[in-house]
């Protein structure tokens, strides 16, 4: 059959049109691969002007170990009863190289946001003459403090002073220029007054930790609690008459309303903690070090021990972790408070601390 000129022309045009349409389809299929996905082209949240580099909720005590979505289940922090409940069975130990990230724009850890803050506390936490230096914390047991109320981290040491371990801890703190808070047991302070003087002379803050670490003290009458705290303060003042004792920590974290109320009568803030190293169980230096590296965040109050037993693990862990903590955070002693001016402002400067 002969093909006419018209038919041949139509066939050629059809082939050309089909080729053009085919090329267009190929180009259309490849277009999505050449474009950035929407998430890439959108502006980063942490690049916005005024975006913060820390989580203010962590400072207020709402989140101490980062976002709930990216951290392992935290160890239980005792709000009453004996301190130091162990991790749940099967819960993995925290790893130093998997520190939780705070829930902040862009996931920037707070310790990486800008240069370290000065190692002194915001004076706004001092609430006035003759009053405890820290306001009650509504999230703490019976209003005891879970956090510092500032961006600084407070290292605290319990059960001392001890003739072997307290000097070692003081030496390490001196080496890095770090001030801390020491919660003293009255009978130990009476036995080692020179160590009490050394603690004060080096600029550390003092805390009353009862006469003989009576975990059940808070369940007793207010008169008994009052006598115990007064006896402990007297032992500290026998070593350093003008020492400011602005904090009280109940043994074992076994807080009661009565204990908190009596401490307030003495002008002392009740001091709980954010990070429990559980070093009193002697888990080993590496475990203590990992807990410090993983759990410490802005505003943390860190619980350790410089006495009450063998504390080689604590000293070894502190020696290893202090350089890292000092780089990540501003470490400072808790503020000792403000004295009332004797001559209505003429006797200046004001002396910080409780009378």
């Amino acid at each position: 059959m002969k093909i006419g000129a018209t038919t041949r022309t139509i066939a050629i045009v059809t082939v050309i049109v089909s080729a053009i349409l085919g090329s267009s389809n190929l180009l259309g299929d490849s277009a999505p691969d050449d474009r950035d996905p929407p998430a890439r082209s959108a502006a980063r949240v942490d690049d916005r002007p005024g975006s913060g580099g820390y989580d203010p909720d962590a400072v207020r005590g709402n989140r101490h170990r980062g976002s709930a979505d990216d951290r392992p289940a935290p160890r239980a922090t005792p709000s009453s009863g004996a301190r130091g409940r162990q991790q749940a069975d099967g819960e993995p130990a925290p790893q130093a190289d998997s520190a939780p990230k705070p829930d902040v724009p862009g996931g920037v850890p707070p310790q990486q946001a800008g240069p370290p803050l000065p190692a002194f506390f915001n004076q706004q936490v001092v609430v006035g003459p003759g009053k405890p230096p820290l306001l009650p914390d509504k999230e703490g047991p019976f209003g005891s403090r879970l956090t510092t109320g500032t961006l600084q981290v407070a290292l605290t040491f319990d059960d001392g002073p001890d003739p072997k371990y307290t000097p070692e801890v003081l030496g390490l703190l001196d080496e890095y220029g770090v001030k801390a808070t020491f919660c003293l047991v009255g009978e130990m302070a009476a036995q080692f007054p020179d160590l009490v003087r050394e603690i004060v002379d080096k600029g550390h803050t003092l805390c009353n930790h009862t006469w003989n670490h009576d975990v059940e003290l808070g369940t007793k009458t207010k008169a008994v609690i009052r006598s115990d705290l007064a006896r402990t303060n007297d032992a500290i003042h026998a070593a350093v008459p003008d020492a400011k004792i602005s904090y009280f920590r109940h043994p074992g974290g076994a807080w009661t309303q009565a204990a908190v109320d009596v401490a307030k009568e003495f002008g002392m803030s009740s001091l709980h903690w954010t990070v429990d190293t559980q070093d009193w169980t002697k888990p080993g230096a590496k475990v203590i070090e990992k807990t410090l590296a993983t759990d410490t965040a802005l505003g943390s109050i860190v619980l350790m021990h410089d006495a009450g037993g063998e504390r080689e693990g604590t000293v070894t862990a502190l020696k290893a972790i202090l350089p890292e903590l000092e780089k990540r955070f501003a470490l400072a002693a808790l503020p000792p408070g403000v004295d009332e001016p004797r001559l209505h402002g003429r006797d200046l400067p004001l002396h910080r601390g409780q009378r």
Side-chain angles (χ1 to χ4, degrees):
M1 181 180 67
K2 289 183 67 177
I3 300 175
T6 301
T7 303
R8 186 182 300 112
T9 300
I10 292 173
I12 292 171
V13 170
T14 301
V15 170
I16 292 172
V17 170
S18 298
I20 293 172
L21 291 176
S23 299
S24 299
N25 288 336
L26 288 174
L27 290 171
D29 290 341
S30 64
D33 293 336
D34 295 333
R35 293 194 304 266
D36 285 336
R40 292 181 191 173
S41 58
R44 286 172 53 86
V45 175
D46 58 337
D47 289 337
R48 294 177 301 177
S51 178
Y54 65 91
D55 184 359
D57 286 338
V59 181
R60 290 194 296 270
N62 296 332
R63 286 192 295 273
H64 306 306
R65 297 184 175 89
S67 170
D69 296 331
D70 60 8
R71 69 173 187 262
R75 286 187 297 277
T77 298
S79 57
S80 62
R83 179 184 62 228
R85 294 198 296 270
Q86 300 296 316
Q87 288 177 277
D89 292 339
E91 181 182 347
Q95 298 298 315
D97 57 357
S98 60
K101 298 180 179 60
D103 186 16
V104 297
V108 179
Q111 63 269 21
Q112 295 180 7
L117 295 165
F120 57 82
F121 274 77
N122 185 338
Q123 293 303 300
Q124 292 179 356
V125 302
V126 180
V127 298
K131 297 180 181 178
L134 295 181
L135 291 167
D137 187 338
K138 66 180 181 180
E139 296 187 14
F142 298 96
S144 60
R145 291 297 312 187
L146 286 176
T147 67
T148 63
T150 71
L151 300 180
Q152 287 86 354
V153 169
L155 303 182
T156 67
F157 297 91
D158 282 14
D159 299 354
D162 179 273
K164 175 174 173 57
Y165 299 109
T166 300
E168 294 183 21
V169 169
L170 289 173
L172 287 170
L173 296 175
D174 259 3
E175 183 178 346
Y176 292 95
V178 173
K179 305 302 180 186
T181 300
F182 285 80
C183 299
L184 305 182
V185 172
E187 62 181 6
M188 300 297 288
Q191 190 174 354
F192 304 106
D194 288 346
L195 289 177
V196 177
R197 283 190 284 271
E198 185 176 358
I199 290 169
V200 173
D201 289 345
K202 290 181 180 296
H204 303 291
T205 297
L206 298 182
C207 170
N208 182 318
H209 199 36
T210 74
W211 176 254
N212 61 357
H213 204 273
D214 183 0
V215 175
E216 298 182 355
L217 180 64
T219 65
K220 300 175 182 178
T221 66
K222 284 191 174 183
V224 171
I225 299 171
R226 193 175 293 113
S227 175
D228 187 292
L229 269 55
R231 187 182 183 189
T232 302
N233 280 356
D234 287 346
I236 295 171
H237 285 143
V240 186
D242 59 348
K244 308 302 179 185
I245 310 169
S246 296
Y247 297 91
F248 167 67
R249 174 172 281 165
H250 199 291
W255 295 99
T256 65
Q257 189 63 58
V260 171
D261 289 345
V262 173
K264 188 175 181 180
E265 292 176 14
F266 285 84
M268 297 188 295
S269 296
S270 292
L271 187 63
H272 199 66
W273 54 81
T274 317
V275 179
D276 185 357
T277 62
Q278 297 193 16
D279 58 344
W280 64 278
T281 66
K282 297 186 280 190
K286 289 296 183 183
V287 174
I288 298 169
E289 182 183 343
K290 287 180 180 178
T291 300
L292 288 167
T294 302
D295 291 359
T296 305
L298 291 174
S300 290
I301 297 172
V302 179
L303 171 62
M304 290 181 282
H305 294 78
D306 64 325
E310 186 269 309
R311 299 292 176 243
E312 289 292 347
T314 301
V315 173
T316 301
L318 197 61
K319 187 180 300 183
I321 198 66
L322 258 182
E324 177 185 340
L325 292 179
E326 208 266 337
K327 289 178 182 176
R328 290 170 57 193
F329 306 105
L331 306 177
L334 288 163
V338 171
D339 274 336
E340 184 177 358
R342 291 186 180 87
L343 299 176
H344 194 58
R346 289 166 55 193
D347 185 15
L348 296 174
L350 301 184
H351 300 286
R352 301 173 66 198
Q354 304 305 311
R355 290 186 294 176

